Amino acid sequence: MIVCGDDGLAHRLAAELRGVYRETVTLVVPPAGAAGVPAHTQLTPVGRASALFGRMSRVVAGPQPGDRDAVADRLLEAPDLDDEVLLRAGVAEASALALVHQDDEANIRGALAARRLNPRLRLVIRLYNRKLGQHLEELLDQAAAVSAPDMDRDEADASTTVLSDADTAAPALAATAVAGTSKVVQADGLLLRAVERPPAVRYGPATDPGLCTLALLSSTTGDPGGADGSDSSGDAGPQLLPDEASVRAASGRGTVVLEAVSYQGPDLSPSRLAGRGAPLAQVFSRRLRWSLFGIFASVFGLAVASWLTTNMSPMHAAYLTILDIFAIDDPAIGEPASRQVLQMLSGLTGLLLLPVLVAAVLEGLGTFRTAATLRRPPRGLSGHVVLLGLGKVGSRVLARLRELDIPVVCVEADPEARGVALARRLRVPIVIGDVTTEGVLEAAKIERARALLALTSADITNLEAALYARTVKPDLRVAMRLFDDAFASAVFRTLRAAHPQAVTRSRSVSTLAAPAFAAAMMGRQILGAMPVERRVLLFAAVDVAGHPLLEGRTLGEVFREGAWRILALDLADPDERRADLSAHRSSYGEDRKAELVWNLPQSYVLRPEDRVVVAGTRQGLGDLLGRRQPRVTAEP
């Protein structure tokens, strides 16, 4: 397998393929300078920050599997992905090629060349633009079908996959910052939700078991000096996909339970958009609203008084009162004294009404003018999430948070960032300014926020913002995006020890995204990934036909504790499933009606025409979906 990239995702993807799936990997990278940093990042602040933190993390944690000399069987340095470089990398004999450069144009150019050189090659492309990715999938799959007409349908289904690391990591990052919200992944129009539950009380009320228990949390979750819940935590770490006996025997340990909830996206119909005007309370100030109410009450009182003191009908009395207010009625000369007094009061009310109407017009124009620009955080805002950075990852996380109806205040240094337009469309308040400058976080109401998500592309900025926010609010929930996963783990342990009562999470986007990219290179449809502390669970849709570990076996025989578990059965017709894949619908056919069956009996025998949703660890999914047979272990 070939991996072409210029950042941490490429290295972690190569390590994933080599270490988990035991594939032979060729890594194609740009030429490195003396410091070991890709040439195109050496002169940028982000590149210098990444190099600095890479060196710091190696001092703290020692050599990591992500180093160049450990992630691949073969390393090839090339400035561009032309035909000669791809042939040197072995594209003609390769099974899969991953193009994960940060430059979308470079990925597209490489994909077109690779498809021409090897029509049967499985392509996994990193693109941020979803619509462009769908069109590119159609183009490359059509080119493969024309160049290799004898290619079978299974190969065609998995020919091209376009993924975004931002989309893959956004659900986990959004869920990290919010208490009570779950880690989510979509499957066939359903929203799968992983809920962390505290240890069960022996004599307390029984809780809903959900669809299944995905994991047992580490026994040292609340111990600042304990293990951090990673793969190296030993028996104290989290246990993924335990059997029923292990769940019953676990005492004092929290659990992660899978739930399925109905989900529908936001209503974007024209009628909804047309009626999405600013509320009256935002258009007119409170003082102006009370002034208008007082004027209208005075008009009503004068009309009633005119009706009671004269012999006119109520409608005629109201009509004369309005004429008097606007000074277009004849003077009441020779009229009774009551009529003259009411006319004078009406004229005075008209004088008071004029400035109020002018003020209403000016306030309305000002409100609608500022609605087209950036909104500022409201004065009484509290319990919100402060989101730093509106780049690729920040934009996706913002969309996820708003889908969950969570109030958000964004902070962005660049007013032309790609996420600013999205925030304006979602009517989310934005503070423009450098987060390291004094007063910027205060403008975002950080002292009344429930969580801070630091998702800029600079590790130093994220760390500085998190530390400063902790000085303002020590119990603030903090989630940081850090490039180097080893350094992220060290920061997590240090901040947890310094603030044991506050929730701190440090995440690497490439670490969260690499498992999904690796599984896509194996030719399977990946639904998503869910982090459990510092480990990851993957969800995949797998065809039973021809699989020696699945076909003809019962669910009880298929289940492997700590490796994989079948969650649901897809009842859709196989031809309909293929149509979904050929239509390139994201999240495994989310546009069609859900036909997943949960809580299947353990005696159910899997048939060749079945398709199942599987939850697995990285190693377990590698054994289940790998092209080689799994290693024989001493599992009971």
Side-chain angles (χ1 to χ4, degrees):
M1 292 191 170
I2 305 173
V3 177
C4 304
D6 54 4
D7 64 353
L9 177 59
H11 295 81
R12 291 186 175 91
L13 175 56
E16 191 83 13
L17 292 170
R18 189 168 182 255
V20 177
Y21 295 94
R22 302 188 302 279
E23 296 288 341
T24 302
V25 180
T26 296
L27 179 61
V28 182
V29 297
V37 182
H40 74 285
T41 61
Q42 287 182 2
L43 301 179
T44 64
V46 176
R48 291 194 294 270
S50 299
L52 172 63
F53 277 102
R55 292 192 294 269
M56 292 176 63
S57 63
R58 283 166 174 77
V59 172
V60 175
Q64 296 299 313
D67 295 338
R68 281 186 171 188
D69 57 354
V71 299
D73 300 275
R74 180 186 174 204
L75 180 65
L76 179 63
E77 293 188 351
D80 297 311
L81 283 179
D82 52 18
D83 291 1
E84 181 183 355
V85 172
L86 291 174
L87 290 174
R88 286 170 53 197
V91 69
E93 300 82 18
S95 299
L97 168 66
L99 297 159
V100 293
H101 289 90
Q102 297 187 56
D103 184 4
D104 287 356
E105 182 180 350
N107 292 333
I108 296 174
R109 190 167 56 246
L112 295 175
R115 175 60 74 226
R116 184 179 65 255
L117 296 174
N118 186 353
R120 297 179 182 273
L121 183 68
R122 183 179 302 117
L123 293 176
V124 178
I125 308 170
R126 173 186 184 181
L127 284 182
Y128 180 80
N129 191 321
R130 297 171 178 172
K131 185 172 295 186
L132 176 61
Q134 292 179 359
H135 295 320
L136 185 63
E137 284 187 18
E138 295 175 359
L139 175 64
L140 294 175
D141 287 347
Q142 184 177 2
V146 172
S147 302
D150 58 336
M151 184 167 50
D152 59 39
R153 299 175 69 183
D154 291 334
E155 289 179 312
D157 284 345
S159 179
T160 305
T161 303
V162 175
L163 295 175
S164 168
D165 54 336
D167 282 332
T168 306
L173 290 170
T176 301
V178 183
T181 31
S182 311
K183 303 150 189 171
V184 296
V185 63
Q186 288 185 348
D188 199 24
L190 297 179
L191 192 68
L192 304 182
R193 181 174 64 178
V195 180
E196 292 189 9
R197 294 184 176 173
V201 182
R202 182 175 182 182
Y203 299 104
T207 58
D208 181 13
L211 298 175
C212 68
T213 299
L214 292 177
L216 296 173
L217 297 177
S218 61
S219 58
T220 58
T221 302
D223 183 8
D228 61 355
S230 64
D231 292 336
S232 59
S233 301
D235 296 337
Q239 296 182 16
L240 304 184
L241 302 174
D243 58 9
E244 296 182 1
S246 300
V247 175
R248 290 193 299 267
S251 59
R253 301 182 68 165
T255 59
V256 178
V257 178
L258 183 67
E259 295 179 350
V261 296
S262 60
Y263 171 76
Q264 292 182 350
D267 182 13
L268 299 180
S269 60
S271 59
R272 168 85 179 267
L273 292 176
R276 198 181 280 180
L280 184 63
Q282 297 181 6
V283 176
F284 302 117
S285 64
R286 180 183 181 89
R287 182 179 300 177
L288 181 60
R289 295 199 307 272
W290 277 108
S291 300
L292 289 172
F293 176 78
I295 294 294
F296 292 145
S298 300
V299 173
F300 178 77
L302 290 172
V304 172
S306 180
W307 168 53
L308 294 177
T309 57
T310 63
N311 295 325
M312 294 180 292
S313 63
M315 291 298 297
H316 189 63
Y319 174 69
L320 290 180
T321 302
I322 294 175
L323 293 180
D324 292 334
I325 288 175
F326 291 105
I328 58 177
D329 195 11
D330 293 332
I333 300 174
E335 298 283 342
S338 58
R339 167 69 181 136
Q340 294 177 345
V341 171
L342 290 175
Q343 188 178 57
M344 294 179 63
L345 293 177
S346 298
L348 179 61
T349 303
L351 293 176
L352 297 176
L353 177 62
L354 181 60
V356 174
L357 292 178
V358 173
V361 171
L362 293 178
E363 282 199 4
L365 290 176
T367 300
F368 287 110
R369 184 176 63 252
T370 56
T373 59
L374 302 180
R375 300 186 63 197
R376 302 290 296 177
R379 292 184 178 180
L381 182 65
S382 62
H384 57 287
V385 174
V386 176
L387 174 61
L388 309 184
L390 288 175
K392 293 182 178 181
V393 178
S395 300
R396 295 291 193 248
V397 173
L398 173 61
R400 291 279 181 172
L401 291 172
R402 293 307 301 136
E403 287 178 2
L404 298 172
D405 293 327
I406 297 169
V408 183
V409 173
C410 300
V411 179
E412 173 58 51
D414 182 10
E416 302 298 327
R418 68 174 69 228
V420 172
L422 174 64
R424 183 186 295 114
R425 186 169 66 252
L426 297 176
R427 301 183 61 81
V428 174
I430 305 178
V431 177
I432 298 296
D434 187 356
V435 70
T436 60
T437 304
E438 186 177 356
V440 173
L441 283 178
E442 284 78 2
K445 315 295 183 185
I446 190 66
E447 69 279 1
R448 295 201 296 268
R450 69 191 302 181
L452 170 68
L453 267 176
L455 304 181
T456 69
S457 57
D459 292 354
I460 294 178
T461 301
N462 295 335
L463 182 59
E464 182 178 353
L467 294 177
Y468 178 74
R470 274 288 163 78
T471 62
V472 177
K473 188 177 181 181
D475 59 344
L476 182 69
R477 184 177 297 105
V478 173
M480 288 175 291
R481 171 191 176 189
L482 297 178
F483 173 80
D484 190 276
D485 191 59
F487 184 74
S489 179
V491 170
F492 165 71
R493 290 193 298 267
T494 303
L495 290 180
R496 185 182 61 179
H499 301 275
Q501 304 301 324
V503 177
T504 303
R505 296 290 183 266
S506 53
R507 296 287 185 238
S508 169
V509 173
S510 57
T511 300
L512 293 175
F517 277 79
M521 291 189 71
M522 304 304 299
R524 296 300 189 269
Q525 182 72 17
I526 295 300
L527 305 180
M530 288 185 182
V532 178
E533 298 186 31
R534 301 195 66 81
R535 300 186 65 183
V536 177
L537 270 178
L538 297 177
F539 295 81
V542 181
D543 291 318
V544 174
H547 202 300
L549 296 177
L550 300 179
E551 186 175 351
R553 297 174 179 265
T554 65
L555 295 185
E557 295 172 342
V558 169
F559 170 65
R560 295 289 187 274
E561 182 182 5
W564 65 75
R565 175 197 293 272
I566 292 180
L567 302 178
L569 175 67
D570 188 357
L571 296 182
D573 183 77
D575 293 333
E576 183 182 353
R577 295 198 295 259
R578 294 184 188 278
D580 285 336
L581 290 177
S582 63
H584 306 285
R585 293 188 177 126
S586 62
S587 299
Y588 179 40
E590 64 183 31
D591 293 337
R592 64 177 169 86
K593 183 179 179 181
E595 298 183 54
L596 296 180
V597 177
W598 304 88
N599 295 322
L600 293 167
Q602 295 299 303
S603 59
Y604 178 82
V605 180
L606 295 174
R607 301 169 297 175
E609 63 271 19
D610 287 341
R611 194 181 205 191
V612 293
V613 176
V614 178
T617 62
R618 291 183 294 183
Q619 184 66 54
L621 204 61
D623 291 339
L624 180 65
L625 305 183
R627 292 178 292 160
R628 303 179 179 87
Q629 292 295 328
R631 293 171 289 189
V632 178
T633 60
E635 293 180 352

